[in-house]
Amino acid sequence: MELQATRISVQGPHATMLHATSVSVADHEVVLLTGYPGAGHVAVSLGLSGRLKPDTGTVRFDGLADATVLRRRVAVVDTPGITEPDDALPVQTVVGEELAIAGRKAGRKAVLKWLDEHDAAEHAGKRFEHLPVAVRTRLLAELTVARPDVQVVILTMPDRHGGDPHGWYELGRGLAAQGYGVIITCADASARLLDVKAAQLGETDQPDPVQVTAVAPVEPVVPIDEVEETDE
């Protein structure tokens, strides 16, 4: 599997949101994609996932330039204004919505069971904004990969919430070890703290992605219509 963007750019209503950028990622790889915090991070996330058509350049998944395929195979996590949850909602509500999108059981018992299995049962009744930063990013990423068709995960600016960059970088490496391709957009300062050679927004000549050793394969998700719903 390979996601490849070649010289994609996005024009905003008043200025360029994303200058020509090339980047690629394959299974078992992690890419840090850095740049000044702002609209470029959202634009590249949406362009790479088929949710926004770039003004120039192409995005291909396994050689196919098909926005429908991109939207199914490439998922964006916690993207500002797009997939970030409403911070006022309870954690269990956000989890239920995401499980439903993934075609999983989403009743109260199923949600509480999922949270318990992911070491987050204590947070079920909290407002989402009150989650610790590391827990927020981990739960949203794990909910995203619960979708059976996802092969590439894009974490959009996890460092905007603060916290230790090593936490979300190791989360990305863990996903890559399971077989996903992972792109994490972040500020230059985060990449320097991690001491990882990063790709750059607005550049076309990029360093090679970080290769991650494989672990056990990702278990397939059973579609909800094949599972008898027993929740209240």
Side-chain angles (χ1 to χ4, degrees), residues 139-176:
L139 291 184
L140 289 176
E142 290 172 344
L143 285 164
T144 297
V145 299
R147 304 175 196 172
D149 292 334
V150 170
Q151 292 180 267
V152 177
V153 178
I154 301 175
L155 302 179
T156 307
M157 292 188 293
D159 49 350
R160 76 186 189 276
H161 300 298
D164 184 354
H166 291 87
W168 48 254
Y169 184 63
E170 287 307 311
L171 171 65
R173 286 182 59 91
L175 292 173

Side-chain angles (χ1 to χ4, degrees), residues 58-61 63-67 70:
T58 58
V59 182
R60 299 180 184 274
F61 187 91
L64 295 176
D66 186 324
L70 290 172

Side-chain angles (χ1 to χ4, degrees), residues 85-95 115 120-133 135-136 139-140:
D86 182 341
D87 280 341
L89 290 175
V91 171
Q92 60 188 349
T93 300
V94 173
V95 171
L115 284 167
E122 65 186 286
H123 303 297
K126 294 180 181 177
R127 286 167 60 106
F128 205 81
E129 64 185 340
H130 294 153
L131 278 176
V133 172
V135 175
R136 173 195 177 100
L139 291 184
L140 289 176

Side-chain angles (χ1 to χ4, degrees), residues 18-19 44 46 54 61 74 90 94 110 121 140-141 143 158 169-171 189 200 210 217 230:
L18 177 67
H19 292 279
V44 76
L46 298 184
F61 187 91
V74 184
V94 173
L140 289 176
L143 285 164
Y169 184 63
E170 287 307 311
L171 171 65
Q200 294 279 331
V210 174
T230 60

Side-chain angles (χ1 to χ4, degrees), residues 180-196:
Y180 297 99
V182 180
I183 296 175
I184 308 173
T185 84
C186 64
D188 294 304
S190 295
R192 288 195 295 270
L193 284 171
L194 293 168
D195 194 23
V196 174

